Amino acid sequence: MEKEQYPVPPSETRRGGNNSIIIHPAEIDTPNHQVSPAMKSSSSPSPVVFGESGHSKKWWPWLIPAFVIANVVMFIITMYVNNCPKKSLSCIARFLGRFSFQPFKENPLLGPSSMTLQKMGALDVKKVVDGHQGWRLISCNWLHGGFFHLLANMLSLLVIGIRLEQEFGFVKVGLLYFISGFGGSLLSALFIQSNISVGASGALFGLLGGMLSELITNWTIYANKVAAFITLVVIIAVNLAVGILPHIDNFAHIGGFLSGFLLGFVFLIRPQFGWFGQGYAPLGYIPPSAKSKFKTYQCALWIISLVLLIAGFTIGTILLLRGVDANEHCSWCHYLSCVPTAKWSCKTEPAYCLTTQIGNQLNLTCSSNGKSSVYLLPGATDSQIQGLCTELCR
């Protein structure tokens, strides 16, 4: 799963699948029954009745499928607005009409142009700071760069999200998803300010982070917890490692993961084993000593995480609105999102072209690589020129 980033059109000033881990609470042994004198005098034994426990309740997952449908609908609307045949010379799958995709050179993910994504609400730091469009920190999480991008993220959301919603319900999982998505966008906006960014993977990494912290804070009630912990850590590490490839916004992944990790200690805390066992005691059983609902370390993690979340979101939002570029204060942090190698470059400068229109002839020269090309295109529109410029500069 990945958050995509794209160059900003020159007319403006410059934004995969995981395995779920299903772990079950340890079996609870029913203590030897202690009965009251009244029960002893009964002539015939009564059936043992066990109390209900909220932990055993399984929720019907409807919110995560609704999120998937909403993301698909948003992608269809985005492609409708994009209208490739009207704005580009060449399109993929032209039989789809206005839903056809931009050329591979412009968008290899089978999707819209960067101008369309920007119009639909992609994360653009300049517009957030100078245009006071803070809503983009949320809207970008519901947009996707292409069909492949959408497919990978939605499959991941179904695999991870449904299990969590079954265990904790739609309210907690919905808050975890939304707040993690915002956290991912916030960190991305502080570090990636020359490109636009879209995708739900910040929220998806938040769900993964929540799964990890839920396992940690509820450690005592789980069986096979070490194996589950190692597996989760490996899955998270692999997905974060993929983020060092170019054109992937790994800062959104990291921000979403950290937000979800802290939120898991707040939202996904479970009662400790001893207290939970009391809910299953037979009627008439009197426990030797009542245990508190949560362990001390659970309460400590709850307080620390809540403080860190509030402080982090507050400081991050203030820095963003002041137009701070976090790269100026951390010279090595850019390597967290892209590591240059002999096979690829991490430079993602916006595409700019020198344009000359002579009659029906359009001459373009890319300012970044010096390539030139001539097109027979009478009355070229800005969107057509931008699409051709993007292809020429790649």
Coordinates of all heavy atoms in Angstrom, one line a residue, residues 256-336:
G256 N 1.1 8.3 9.5 CA -0.1 7.5 9.8 C 0.2 6.4 10.8 O -0.6 6.1 11.7
F257 N 1.4 5.7 10.6 CA 1.7 4.6 11.5 C 1.9 5.1 12.9 O 1.4 4.5 13.9 CB 3.0 3.9 11.0 CG 3.5 2.9 12.0 CD1 3.0 1.7 12.2 CD2 4.6 3.3 12.8 CE1 3.5 0.8 13.1 CE2 5.1 2.4 13.7 CZ 4.5 1.1 13.9
L258 N 2.6 6.2 13.1 CA 2.9 6.7 14.5 C 1.6 7.2 15.1 O 1.4 6.9 16.3 CB 3.9 7.9 14.4 CG 5.3 7.5 14.0 CD1 6.1 8.8 13.9 CD2 5.9 6.6 15.0
S259 N 0.7 7.8 14.3 CA -0.6 8.2 14.9 C -1.4 7.0 15.3 O -2.0 7.0 16.4 CB -1.4 9.0 13.8 OG -0.7 10.2 13.5
G260 N -1.5 6.0 14.5 CA -2.2 4.8 14.8 C -1.7 4.0 15.9 O -2.4 3.5 16.8
F261 N -0.3 4.0 16.0 CA 0.3 3.3 17.1 C 0.0 3.9 18.4 O -0.4 3.2 19.4 CB 1.8 3.3 16.9 CG 2.6 2.6 17.9 CD1 2.6 1.2 18.0 CD2 3.4 3.3 18.8 CE1 3.3 0.5 18.9 CE2 4.1 2.6 19.8 CZ 4.1 1.2 19.8
L262 N 0.0 5.2 18.5 CA -0.4 5.9 19.8 C -1.9 5.8 20.0 O -2.3 5.6 21.2 CB 0.0 7.4 19.7 CG 1.5 7.6 19.7 CD1 1.8 9.1 19.5 CD2 2.2 7.1 20.9
L263 N -2.7 5.9 19.0 CA -4.1 5.8 19.2 C -4.6 4.4 19.7 O -5.5 4.2 20.4 CB -4.8 6.1 17.8 CG -4.9 7.6 17.4 CD1 -5.3 7.7 16.0 CD2 -5.8 8.4 18.3
G264 N -3.8 3.4 19.3 CA -4.1 2.0 19.7 C -4.1 1.9 21.2 O -4.9 1.2 21.8
F265 N -3.1 2.6 21.8 CA -3.0 2.5 23.3 C -4.2 3.2 24.0 O -4.6 2.9 25.1 CB -1.7 3.2 23.8 CG -0.5 2.4 23.4 CD1 0.5 3.0 22.6 CD2 -0.3 1.1 24.0 CE1 1.6 2.3 22.3 CE2 0.9 0.4 23.7 CZ 1.8 1.0 22.8
V266 N -4.8 4.2 23.2 CA -6.0 4.9 23.8 C -7.3 4.2 23.5 O -8.1 4.1 24.4 CB -6.0 6.3 23.2 CG1 -7.2 7.1 23.7 CG2 -4.7 7.1 23.6
F267 N -7.5 3.8 22.2 CA -8.8 3.3 21.8 C -9.0 1.8 22.0 O -10.1 1.3 22.2 CB -9.1 3.6 20.3 CG -9.3 5.1 20.1 CD1 -9.0 5.6 18.8 CD2 -9.9 5.9 21.0 CE1 -9.2 6.9 18.6 CE2 -10.1 7.2 20.8 CZ -9.8 7.8 19.5
L268 N -7.9 1.0 21.9 CA -8.0 -0.4 21.8 C -7.6 -1.2 23.0 O -7.2 -2.4 23.0 CB -7.2 -0.9 20.6 CG -7.4 -0.2 19.2 CD1 -6.6 -0.9 18.1 CD2 -8.9 -0.2 18.9
I269 N -7.6 -0.5 24.2 CA -7.2 -1.1 25.4 C -8.3 -2.1 25.9 O -9.5 -1.8 25.7 CB -7.0 0.0 26.5 CG1 -6.5 -0.6 27.8 CG2 -8.2 0.8 26.7 CD1 -6.1 0.4 28.8
R270 N -7.9 -3.3 26.4 CA -8.9 -4.3 26.9 C -8.7 -4.5 28.4 O -7.6 -4.3 28.9 CB -8.6 -5.6 26.2 CG -8.8 -5.7 24.7 CD -8.6 -7.1 24.2 NE -8.5 -7.3 22.8 CZ -9.5 -7.6 22.0 NH1 -10.7 -7.6 22.4 NH2 -9.2 -7.8 20.7
P271 N -9.8 -4.9 29.0 CA -9.6 -5.2 30.5 C -8.6 -6.4 30.7 O -8.4 -7.2 29.8 CB -11.0 -5.7 30.9 CG -11.9 -5.1 29.8 CD -11.1 -5.1 28.6
Q272 N -7.9 -6.3 31.8 CA -6.9 -7.3 32.1 C -7.5 -8.7 32.3 O -8.7 -8.8 32.6 CB -6.1 -6.9 33.3 CG -6.8 -6.8 34.6 CD -5.9 -6.8 35.8 OE1 -5.0 -7.7 35.9 NE2 -6.0 -5.8 36.7
F273 N -6.7 -9.7 32.3 CA -7.2 -11.1 32.3 C -8.0 -11.4 33.6 O -9.0 -12.0 33.5 CB -5.9 -12.0 32.3 CG -6.3 -13.5 32.3 CD1 -6.7 -14.2 31.2 CD2 -6.2 -14.2 33.6 CE1 -7.0 -15.5 31.3 CE2 -6.5 -15.5 33.6 CZ -6.9 -16.2 32.5
G274 N -7.5 -11.0 34.7 CA -8.2 -11.3 36.0 C -9.6 -10.7 36.0 O -10.6 -11.4 36.4
W275 N -9.7 -9.4 35.6 CA -11.0 -8.8 35.6 C -11.9 -9.4 34.6 O -13.1 -9.6 34.8 CB -10.8 -7.3 35.4 CG -12.1 -6.5 35.5 CD1 -12.5 -5.8 36.6 CD2 -13.0 -6.2 34.4 NE1 -13.7 -5.2 36.3 CE2 -14.0 -5.4 35.0 CE3 -13.1 -6.5 33.1 CZ2 -15.1 -4.9 34.3 CZ3 -14.2 -6.1 32.4 CH2 -15.2 -5.3 33.0
F276 N -11.4 -9.7 33.5 CA -12.2 -10.3 32.4 C -12.7 -11.7 32.8 O -13.8 -12.0 32.5 CB -11.3 -10.5 31.1 CG -11.9 -11.1 30.0 CD1 -13.0 -10.5 29.3 CD2 -11.5 -12.4 29.6 CE1 -13.6 -11.1 28.3 CE2 -12.1 -13.0 28.5 CZ -13.2 -12.4 27.8
G277 N -11.9 -12.4 33.6 CA -12.3 -13.7 34.0 C -13.5 -13.7 35.0 O -14.3 -14.6 35.0
Q278 N -13.6 -12.6 35.7 CA -14.7 -12.4 36.6 C -16.1 -12.4 35.9 O -17.1 -12.8 36.4 CB -14.6 -11.2 37.5 CG -13.4 -11.3 38.4 CD -13.1 -10.0 39.2 OE1 -13.8 -9.7 40.2 NE2 -12.2 -9.1 38.7
G279 N -16.1 -11.9 34.7 CA -17.3 -11.8 33.9 C -17.8 -13.2 33.5 O -19.0 -13.4 33.2
Y280 N -16.9 -14.2 33.6 CA -17.3 -15.6 33.2 C -17.6 -16.4 34.4 O -17.9 -17.6 34.3 CB -16.2 -16.2 32.4 CG -16.2 -15.8 30.9 CD1 -15.4 -14.8 30.5 CD2 -17.1 -16.4 30.0 CE1 -15.4 -14.3 29.2 CE2 -17.1 -16.0 28.7 CZ -16.2 -15.0 28.3 OH -16.2 -14.5 27.0
A281 N -17.5 -15.9 35.6 CA -17.7 -16.7 36.8 C -19.2 -17.1 36.9 O -20.1 -16.3 36.5 CB -17.3 -15.9 38.0
P282 N -19.4 -18.3 37.4 CA -20.8 -18.7 37.5 C -21.5 -17.9 38.6 O -20.9 -17.4 39.5 CB -20.7 -20.2 38.0 CG -19.3 -20.3 38.5 CD -18.5 -19.3 37.8
L283 N -22.8 -17.8 38.5 CA -23.6 -17.1 39.4 C -23.4 -17.7 40.8 O -23.5 -18.9 41.0 CB -25.1 -17.1 39.1 CG -25.5 -16.4 37.7 CD1 -26.9 -16.5 37.5 CD2 -25.0 -14.9 37.8
G284 N -23.2 -16.9 41.8 CA -23.0 -17.3 43.2 C -21.5 -17.5 43.5 O -21.2 -17.6 44.7
Y285 N -20.6 -17.4 42.5 CA -19.2 -17.5 42.8 C -18.7 -16.2 43.3 O -19.0 -15.1 42.8 CB -18.5 -17.9 41.5 CG -17.0 -17.7 41.6 CD1 -16.2 -18.5 42.4 CD2 -16.3 -16.7 40.9 CE1 -14.8 -18.4 42.5 CE2 -15.0 -16.5 41.0 CZ -14.2 -17.4 41.8 OH -12.9 -17.2 41.8
I286 N -18.0 -16.2 44.4 CA -17.4 -15.0 45.0 C -15.9 -15.1 44.9 O -15.3 -15.9 45.5 CB -17.8 -14.9 46.5 CG1 -19.4 -15.0 46.6 CG2 -17.3 -13.7 47.1 CD1 -19.8 -15.0 48.1
P287 N -15.3 -14.2 44.1 CA -13.9 -14.2 43.9 C -13.2 -13.8 45.2 O -13.7 -13.0 45.9 CB -13.6 -13.2 42.8 CG -14.8 -12.3 42.8 CD -16.0 -13.1 43.3
P288 N -12.0 -14.4 45.4 CA -11.3 -14.0 46.6 C -10.9 -12.6 46.7 O -10.9 -12.0 47.8 CB -10.0 -14.9 46.5 CG -9.9 -15.3 45.1 CD -11.3 -15.3 44.5
S289 N -10.6 -11.9 45.6 CA -10.2 -10.5 45.7 C -10.6 -9.9 44.3 O -10.2 -10.5 43.3 CB -8.8 -10.3 46.0 OG -7.9 -10.9 45.0
A290 N -11.2 -8.8 44.3 CA -11.6 -8.1 43.1 C -10.3 -7.4 42.5 O -9.6 -6.8 43.2 CB -12.7 -7.0 43.4
K291 N -10.2 -7.6 41.2 CA -9.1 -7.0 40.5 C -9.5 -5.7 39.7 O -10.7 -5.7 39.3 CB -8.4 -8.0 39.5 CG -7.8 -9.2 40.2 CD -7.0 -10.0 39.2 CE -6.2 -11.1 39.9 NZ -5.4 -11.9 38.9
S292 N -8.6 -4.8 39.6 CA -8.9 -3.6 38.8 C -9.1 -3.9 37.3 O -8.6 -4.9 36.8 CB -7.8 -2.5 39.0 OG -6.6 -3.0 38.5
K293 N -9.8 -3.1 36.6 CA -10.2 -3.4 35.2 C -8.9 -3.4 34.4 O -8.8 -4.2 33.5 CB -11.2 -2.4 34.7 CG -11.7 -2.7 33.4 CD -12.9 -1.7 33.0 CE -13.5 -2.1 31.7 NZ -14.6 -1.2 31.3
F294 N -8.0 -2.4 34.6 CA -6.8 -2.3 33.7 C -5.6 -2.4 34.6 O -5.6 -2.0 35.8 CB -6.8 -1.0 33.0 CG -8.0 -0.8 32.1 CD1 -9.0 0.1 32.4 CD2 -8.1 -1.6 30.9 CE1 -10.1 0.3 31.6 CE2 -9.2 -1.4 30.1 CZ -10.2 -0.5 30.4
K295 N -4.5 -2.9 34.0 CA -3.2 -2.9 34.7 C -2.6 -1.5 34.7 O -2.9 -0.7 33.9 CB -2.3 -3.9 34.0 CG -2.7 -5.4 34.2 CD -1.6 -6.3 33.6 CE -1.9 -7.8 33.9 NZ -1.7 -8.1 35.3
T296 N -1.6 -1.4 35.6 CA -1.0 -0.1 35.8 C -0.3 0.4 34.5 O -0.3 1.5 34.1 CB 0.0 -0.1 36.9 OG1 -0.6 -0.5 38.1 CG2 0.7 1.2 37.2
Y297 N 0.4 -0.6 33.9 CA 1.2 -0.2 32.7 C 0.2 0.2 31.5 O 0.5 1.0 30.7 CB 2.1 -1.4 32.2 CG 1.4 -2.5 31.4 CD1 1.3 -2.4 30.0 CD2 0.9 -3.6 32.0 CE1 0.7 -3.4 29.3 CE2 0.3 -4.6 31.3 CZ 0.2 -4.5 29.9 OH -0.4 -5.5 29.2
Q298 N -1.0 -0.4 31.5 CA -2.0 0.0 30.5 C -2.4 1.4 30.7 O -2.5 2.2 29.7 CB -3.2 -0.9 30.5 CG -2.9 -2.4 30.0 CD -4.2 -3.2 30.1 OE1 -4.7 -3.4 31.2 NE2 -4.6 -3.8 29.0
C299 N -2.7 1.8 31.9 CA -3.1 3.2 32.2 C -1.9 4.2 31.9 O -2.2 5.3 31.4 CB -3.5 3.3 33.7 SG -4.9 2.3 34.1
A300 N -0.7 3.8 32.2 CA 0.4 4.6 32.0 C 0.6 4.9 30.4 O 0.8 6.0 30.0 CB 1.7 4.0 32.5
L301 N 0.5 3.8 29.7 CA 0.6 3.9 28.2 C -0.6 4.8 27.6 O -0.4 5.5 26.7 CB 0.6 2.5 27.6 CG 1.8 1.7 27.7 CD1 1.6 0.3 27.2 CD2 3.0 2.3 27.0
W302 N -1.8 4.6 28.2 CA -2.9 5.4 27.8 C -2.6 6.9 28.0 O -2.9 7.7 27.1 CB -4.1 5.0 28.6 CG -5.4 5.5 28.1 CD1 -6.3 4.9 27.3 CD2 -6.0 6.8 28.5 NE1 -7.4 5.8 27.0 CE2 -7.3 6.9 27.8 CE3 -5.6 7.9 29.3 CZ2 -8.1 8.0 27.9 CZ3 -6.5 9.0 29.4 CH2 -7.7 9.0 28.7
I303 N -2.1 7.3 29.1 CA -1.9 8.7 29.4 C -0.7 9.2 28.6 O -0.9 10.3 28.0 CB -1.5 8.9 30.9 CG1 -2.7 8.5 31.8 CG2 -1.1 10.3 31.2 CD1 -2.4 8.5 33.3
I304 N 0.4 8.5 28.5 CA 1.5 9.0 27.7 C 1.1 9.1 26.2 O 1.5 10.1 25.6 CB 2.7 8.0 27.8 CG1 3.2 8.0 29.3 CG2 3.8 8.3 26.9 CD1 4.2 6.9 29.6
S305 N 0.4 8.2 25.7 CA 0.0 8.2 24.3 C -0.9 9.4 24.0 O -0.7 10.1 23.0 CB -0.6 6.9 23.9 OG 0.2 5.8 24.0
L306 N -1.8 9.6 24.9 CA -2.8 10.7 24.7 C -2.0 12.1 24.7 O -2.3 12.9 23.9 CB -3.9 10.7 25.7 CG -5.0 11.7 25.6 CD1 -5.7 11.4 24.3 CD2 -6.0 11.6 26.8
V307 N -1.1 12.2 25.6 CA -0.3 13.5 25.7 C 0.5 13.7 24.5 O 0.6 14.8 23.9 CB 0.6 13.4 27.0 CG1 1.5 14.6 27.0 CG2 -0.3 13.5 28.3
L308 N 1.2 12.6 24.0 CA 2.0 12.7 22.8 C 1.2 13.0 21.6 O 1.6 13.8 20.7 CB 2.8 11.4 22.6 CG 3.9 11.1 23.6 CD1 4.5 9.7 23.3 CD2 5.0 12.2 23.5
L309 N 0.0 12.4 21.5 CA -0.9 12.7 20.3 C -1.3 14.2 20.3 O -1.2 14.8 19.3 CB -2.1 11.8 20.4 CG -2.0 10.4 19.9 CD1 -3.2 9.6 20.3 CD2 -1.9 10.4 18.3
I310 N -1.8 14.7 21.4 CA -2.3 16.0 21.5 C -1.1 17.0 21.2 O -1.2 18.0 20.4 CB -2.9 16.3 22.8 CG1 -4.2 15.5 23.0 CG2 -3.2 17.8 23.0 CD1 -4.8 15.6 24.4
A311 N 0.0 16.7 21.8 CA 1.2 17.6 21.6 C 1.7 17.5 20.2 O 2.0 18.6 19.5 CB 2.3 17.2 22.5
G312 N 1.8 16.3 19.6 CA 2.3 16.2 18.2 C 1.4 16.9 17.2 O 1.8 17.6 16.3
F313 N 0.1 16.6 17.3 CA -0.9 17.3 16.4 C -0.9 18.8 16.5 O -1.0 19.5 15.5 CB -2.3 16.7 16.6 CG -2.5 15.3 16.0 CD1 -3.3 14.4 16.6 CD2 -1.9 15.0 14.8 CE1 -3.5 13.2 16.0 CE2 -2.0 13.8 14.2 CZ -2.8 12.8 14.8
T314 N -0.8 19.3 17.7 CA -0.8 20.7 18.0 C 0.4 21.4 17.4 O 0.3 22.4 16.6 CB -0.9 21.0 19.5 OG1 -2.1 20.4 20.0 CG2 -1.0 22.5 19.7
I315 N 1.6 20.8 17.7 CA 2.9 21.4 17.3 C 3.0 21.3 15.7 O 3.3 22.2 15.0 CB 4.1 20.7 17.9 CG1 4.1 21.0 19.4 CG2 5.4 21.2 17.3 CD1 5.1 20.2 20.2
G316 N 2.6 20.1 15.2 CA 2.7 19.9 13.7 C 1.8 20.9 13.0 O 2.2 21.4 12.0
T317 N 0.5 21.1 13.5 CA -0.4 22.0 12.8 C 0.1 23.4 12.8 O 0.0 24.2 11.8 CB -1.8 21.9 13.5 OG1 -2.2 20.6 13.4 CG2 -2.8 22.8 12.8
I318 N 0.7 23.9 14.0 CA 1.2 25.2 14.1 C 2.4 25.4 13.1 O 2.4 26.4 12.4 CB 1.6 25.5 15.6 CG1 0.4 25.5 16.5 CG2 2.4 26.8 15.7 CD1 0.8 25.6 18.0
L319 N 3.3 24.5 13.1 CA 4.4 24.6 12.2 C 4.0 24.6 10.7 O 4.5 25.4 9.9 CB 5.4 23.4 12.4 CG 6.1 23.3 13.7 CD1 6.9 22.0 13.8 CD2 7.0 24.5 13.9
L320 N 3.0 23.8 10.4 CA 2.5 23.8 9.0 C 1.9 25.1 8.6 O 2.2 25.7 7.5 CB 1.5 22.7 8.8 CG 0.8 22.6 7.5 CD1 1.8 22.4 6.3 CD2 -0.3 21.5 7.4
L321 N 1.0 25.7 9.5 CA 0.3 26.9 9.2 C 1.3 28.1 9.1 O 1.0 29.1 8.5 CB -0.8 27.2 10.2 CG -1.9 26.2 10.2 CD1 -3.0 26.5 11.2 CD2 -2.6 26.1 8.8
R322 N 2.5 27.9 9.8 CA 3.5 29.0 9.7 C 4.4 28.8 8.5 O 5.3 29.6 8.3 CB 4.3 29.0 11.0 CG 3.6 29.5 12.2 CD 4.5 29.5 13.4 NE 3.8 30.1 14.6 CZ 4.4 30.3 15.8 NH1 5.7 29.9 15.9 NH2 3.7 30.8 16.8
G323 N 4.1 27.8 7.7 CA 4.9 27.6 6.5 C 6.3 27.0 6.7 O 7.2 27.2 5.9
V324 N 6.5 26.3 7.8 CA 7.8 25.7 8.1 C 8.1 24.5 7.2 O 7.2 23.6 7.0 CB 7.9 25.3 9.6 CG1 9.2 24.5 9.9 CG2 7.7 26.5 10.5
D325 N 9.3 24.5 6.6 CA 9.7 23.3 5.8 C 10.6 22.5 6.8 O 11.7 22.9 7.1 CB 10.5 23.8 4.6 CG 10.9 22.6 3.7 OD1 10.8 21.4 4.1 OD2 11.4 22.9 2.6
A326 N 10.2 21.3 7.2 CA 10.9 20.5 8.2 C 12.2 20.0 7.6 O 13.1 19.7 8.4 CB 10.0 19.3 8.6
N327 N 12.4 20.0 6.3 CA 13.7 19.5 5.8 C 14.8 20.5 6.1 O 16.0 20.1 6.2 CB 13.6 19.4 4.2 CG 12.6 18.3 3.8 OD1 13.0 17.1 4.0 ND2 11.5 18.7 3.3
E328 N 14.5 21.8 6.4 CA 15.5 22.7 6.7 C 16.1 22.5 8.1 O 17.1 22.9 8.5 CB 14.9 24.1 6.7 CG 14.5 24.6 5.2 CD 13.9 25.9 5.2 OE1 13.7 26.5 6.3 OE2 13.5 26.4 4.1
H329 N 15.3 21.7 8.9 CA 15.7 21.4 10.3 C 16.2 20.0 10.5 O 16.6 19.6 11.6 CB 14.6 21.7 11.3 CG 14.1 23.1 11.2 ND1 14.7 24.2 11.8 CD2 13.0 23.6 10.5 CE1 14.0 25.3 11.5 NE2 13.0 25.0 10.7
C330 N 16.1 19.2 9.4 CA 16.5 17.8 9.4 C 17.1 17.5 8.1 O 16.4 17.2 7.1 CB 15.4 16.9 9.8 SG 15.8 15.2 9.9
S331 N 18.4 17.5 8.0 CA 19.1 17.4 6.7 C 19.0 16.0 6.1 O 19.2 15.8 4.9 CB 20.6 17.8 6.8 OG 21.2 17.0 7.8
W332 N 18.8 15.0 7.0 CA 18.8 13.6 6.5 C 17.4 13.0 6.4 O 17.2 11.9 5.9 CB 19.6 12.7 7.5 CG 19.2 12.8 8.9 CD1 19.6 13.6 9.9 CD2 18.1 12.0 9.5 NE1 18.9 13.4 11.0 CE2 18.0 12.4 10.8 CE3 17.3 10.9 9.0 CZ2 17.1 11.8 11.7 CZ3 16.4 10.4 9.9 CH2 16.3 10.8 11.2
C333 N 16.4 13.7 6.9 CA 15.1 13.1 6.9 C 14.5 12.7 5.5 O 13.6 11.8 5.4 CB 14.1 14.1 7.6 SG 14.3 14.1 9.4
H334 N 15.0 13.4 4.5 CA 14.4 13.1 3.2 C 14.7 11.7 2.7 O 14.0 11.1 1.9 CB 14.9 14.1 2.1 CG 16.4 14.1 1.9 ND1 17.3 14.7 2.8 CD2 17.2 13.5 1.0 CE1 18.5 14.5 2.4 NE2 18.5 13.7 1.3
Y335 N 15.7 11.1 3.3 CA 16.1 9.7 3.0 C 15.0 8.7 3.5 O 15.0 7.6 3.1 CB 17.4 9.3 3.6 CG 18.6 10.0 2.9 CD1 19.4 10.9 3.6 CD2 18.9 9.8 1.5 CE1 20.5 11.5 3.0 CE2 19.9 10.4 0.9 CZ 20.7 11.3 1.7 OH 21.8 11.9 1.1
L336 N 14.2 9.2 4.4 CA 13.1 8.3 4.9 C 12.0 8.1 3.9 O 11.3 7.1 4.0 CB 12.5 8.9 6.2 CG 13.3 9.0 7.4 CD1 12.6 9.8 8.5 CD2 13.7 7.7 7.9

